[in-house]
Amino acid sequence: MSLINTEVKPFKAEALKKGKFVSVSEADLKGKWSVVFFYPADFTFVCPTELEDLADNYVEFKKLGVEIYSVSTDTHFAHKAWHDTSEAVKKIDYFMVGDPTGAICRNFDVMIEEAGLADRGTFVVDPDGKIQIVEITAGGIGRDALELLRKVKAAQYVASHPGEVCPAKWQEGEATLAPSLDLVGKI
């Protein structure tokens, strides 16, 4: 079953945010746009490159009113140790959520049960707490923060412009489409 347009299920967890431990829950995702960014594990190989890419673009997400929550099945203590030792991870100012029980991973259907790890899942959540974008990639395939940023802008545009849709490769400021009978077979 698709998670698109479903509400984020309840969760409570501990996270690292700017060097401090904080509690987070699904309620924190409401009232603003959010990215929930699952990755397999701390102290690995592809994961720090993705997290650093997000960190390098975090200001651009914040300008759009978007908060980022990275999540793995590691504890918030492991996140702190990794943050303190990795030059790439040290750049992170967004939430690093610990999910050692896998409850959040299961809520988003990204838990790899036999490994106890998360798939590479990216979810964009609207201010109502509903999932608008789902992307899941295989473990060896890293994601691109700029492409995610483009998709967030498209989701925000569509949400604020009922009756319009964003075509492939749409960039902010470009033309959109207004689906109608007149367009059928003309694109």
Side-chain angles (χ1 to χ4, degrees), residues 58-79:
Y58 185 51
V59 169
E60 294 306 311
F61 284 95
K62 293 300 283 181
K63 286 179 186 174
L64 296 174
V66 178
E67 186 53 76
I68 296 175
Y69 300 85
S70 64
V71 184
S72 76
T73 55
D74 300 285
T75 67
H76 55 294
F77 299 114
H79 292 333

Side-chain angles (χ1 to χ4, degrees), residues 73-110:
T73 55
D74 300 285
T75 67
H76 55 294
F77 299 114
H79 292 333
K80 172 87 168 86
W82 195 29
H83 190 274
D84 291 349
T85 57
S86 166
E87 290 304 315
V89 177
K90 211 173 271 190
K91 295 178 176 182
I92 295 173
D93 284 334
Y94 51 79
F95 291 89
M96 295 184 74
V97 182
D99 185 26
T101 67
I104 305 169
C105 293
R106 287 184 190 91
N107 282 355
F108 284 84
D109 290 338
V110 294

Side-chain angles (χ1 to χ4, degrees), residues 8 25-37 61 64-69 95 108 122-133 148 152 156:
V8 173
S25 74
E26 80 288 348
D28 293 304
L29 277 62
K30 292 195 175 175
K32 63 182 173 303
W33 287 85
S34 303
V35 169
V36 184
F37 195 87
F61 284 95
L64 296 174
V66 178
E67 186 53 76
I68 296 175
Y69 300 85
F95 291 89
F108 284 84
T122 308
F123 299 82
V124 176
V125 180
D126 71 19
D128 294 326
K130 291 188 178 179
I131 299 169
Q132 296 301 314
I133 296 173
L148 176 57
V152 168
Q156 289 179 335

